[in-house]
Amino acid sequence: MKFLDQAKIYVRSGDGGAGAVSFRREKYIEFGGPDGGDGGRGGDVFIECVDGLNTLIDFRFAQHFKAKTGMHGMGRNRTGAKGDDVVLRVPVGTEILEEDNETVLADMTRVGERLLLLKGGNGGFGNAHFKSSTNQAPRHANPGLEGEEKWIWLRLKLIADAGLVGMPNAGKSTFLAAVSAARPKIADYPFTTLHPNLGVVEIDGNGFVLADIPGLIEGAHEGIGLGDRFLGHVERTRALLHLVDGTQEDPGEAYRVVRGELAAYGAGLDEKPEVVALSKVDALDEETRAERAAILEEACGQKPLLLSSASGENVDRGLRMIRRAIDRDREQEANSVPQMPSEPWRPS
């Protein structure tokens, strides 16, 4: 299945059905009069968060979604049926944004969450509704109200406990493949990873979800390389594992470049707990290891983990460090002062 994390779609709720103009005319029935029923309500537009999806590919070739019009009213005071609703099913972690692609309408983060995006138009009154002591035979009815319409953006931000960041070819996909059942593409050229990958990691009887995103280069926040659009997939993570390629001459500069891109992106990515690791150390001799670890330590301000996904060196230790960072973040969140929930968004 192809990965798609952003889509622009048009949605429209159904128009209300028209009221009916009808009169009761039956032989041997003493009292006649107006009996036109009301029109049915137009269909609504819902967005529902479902399990089993991890991409917005369903919206790649279908971008227009319209609910059905309500049925018109009929004689004998029969009210029209409600129009069929439209339910858009999206994966967990999908944001709903206005057409400007900036104003967030809703954030779907739980399976089963359901949002009423657009309400269908009310059905029109039939002529029976207008009968009064001074107007015994009204000959008019109301048309149904029009539905609502708008263009919206769907933006998927994968939900993971930890995220892998680093320059291209830093060993992120190799690490993910070594510690989980995920099988991302691995090759010796830049930007092998073209879209995020998720893997479930087990360590000491505990599991967490790890996200691998395409590599960052200097100027990614300006669109250079693959840009920084995929950084949205690590916004929801609790901790980051920053891999720095140990086979390059200056690992400190590589670390600073990625940290600069995280800060330029914003959304608090540069403030998340971070585990720094010097990767591919199996290709280095002891003297080179010590030299480049010292360079990286000076750049990041902490002793880096010497890690090799190929040989398995310190892989479990790295997973335990990530696990502890995730647990600490959860404890801080649980101990923080609860805030009053904001007013949920409602259609205007």
Side-chain angles (χ1 to χ4, degrees):
M1 179 181 292
K2 292 185 178 180
F3 183 83
L4 185 70
D5 65 348
Q6 188 165 274
K8 185 179 182 181
I9 62 173
Y10 170 84
V11 288
R12 193 184 197 285
S13 58
D15 297 337
V21 176
S22 174
F23 292 92
R24 182 178 181 183
R25 297 185 180 91
E26 298 178 54
K27 192 174 182 181
Y28 306 122
I29 300 297
E30 182 179 1
F31 299 103
D35 66 350
D38 300 337
R41 184 181 181 83
D44 302 321
V45 177
F46 292 93
I47 297 181
E48 183 176 4
C49 194
V50 299
D51 198 10
L53 292 178
N54 57 9
T55 175
L56 297 174
I57 193 65
D58 292 342
F59 302 98
R60 174 65 179 87
F61 299 105
Q63 290 108 21
H64 294 77
F65 300 89
K66 300 178 182 179
K68 297 295 184 181
T69 300
M71 293 291 291
H72 301 317
M74 293 172 283
R76 300 183 183 176
N77 292 307
R78 287 177 290 179
T79 300
K82 183 181 184 298
D84 292 338
D85 298 329
V86 164
V87 181
L88 307 179
R89 292 173 174 82
V90 298
V92 176
T94 302
E95 285 185 339
I96 317 300
L97 299 99
E98 287 280 14
E99 189 176 2
D100 60 10
N101 206 6
E102 294 181 358
T103 306
V104 178
L105 299 178
D107 193 0
M108 316 292 284
T109 58
R110 299 188 309 275
V111 173
E113 196 171 354
R114 191 178 175 98
L115 170 72
L116 173 60
L117 184 63
L118 296 177
K119 297 178 68 174
N122 287 326
F125 291 133
N127 67 335
H129 182 86
F130 298 102
K131 180 181 177 181
S132 68
S133 60
T134 58
N135 188 3
Q136 295 289 316
R139 295 183 178 275
H140 68 279
N142 283 349
L145 295 180
E146 291 187 354
E148 303 171 319
E149 62 181 355
K150 66 168 57 183
W151 284 90
I152 60 172
W153 283 92
L154 304 177
R155 182 191 300 163
L156 175 61
K157 294 181 179 179
L158 298 175
I159 294 184
D161 298 302
L164 288 169
V165 296
M167 299 275 283
N169 281 72
K172 301 185 297 298
S173 296
T174 305
F175 181 82
L176 183 67
V179 301
S180 73
R183 290 296 173 262
K185 183 179 180 181
I186 300 171
D188 60 352
Y189 54 84
F191 301 116
T192 308
T193 301
L194 297 177
H195 58 77
N197 295 294
L198 288 179
V200 179
V201 179
E202 292 284 341
I203 185 71
D204 298 332
N206 294 314
F208 62 89
V209 179
L210 185 63
D212 165 32
I213 66 166
L216 298 170
I217 63 175
E218 189 169 9
H221 68 282
E222 299 173 348
I224 298 177
L226 292 181
D228 63 1
R229 60 170 291 191
F230 294 115
L231 282 177
H233 296 291
V234 294
E235 277 187 36
R236 305 180 194 273
T237 60
R238 297 182 180 275
L240 300 177
L241 175 59
H242 189 158
L243 295 183
V244 181
D245 186 355
T247 62
Q248 57 187 336
E249 292 295 328
D250 190 354
E253 178 61 21
Y255 174 82
R256 284 187 287 268
V257 166
V258 173
R259 291 295 298 180
E261 296 305 319
L262 295 179
Y265 179 84
L269 291 188
D270 57 332
E271 300 172 2
K272 290 184 179 294
E274 180 186 54
V275 176
V276 181
L278 188 70
S279 66
K280 304 182 183 180
V281 296
D282 59 296
L284 307 176
D285 57 41
E286 292 298 327
E287 182 180 352
T288 307
R289 279 191 184 197
E291 175 189 342
R292 293 183 180 169
I295 294 173
L296 182 55
E297 183 176 356
E298 182 180 355
C300 67
Q302 60 175 287
K303 190 174 182 62
L305 180 69
L306 302 182
L307 184 145
S308 170
S309 302
S311 67
E313 181 180 351
N314 284 330
V315 168
D316 286 350
R317 183 183 173 191
L319 294 179
R320 291 187 179 100
M321 293 173 69
I322 299 171
R323 180 77 242 183
R324 286 196 295 270
I326 293 171
D327 291 341
R328 282 196 299 268
D329 187 72
R330 284 177 175 163
E331 289 176 5
Q332 292 175 1
E333 184 179 69
N335 295 332
S336 63
V337 179
Q339 299 178 350
M340 293 297 292
S342 59
E343 183 68 21
W345 178 81
R346 292 287 185 272
S348 57

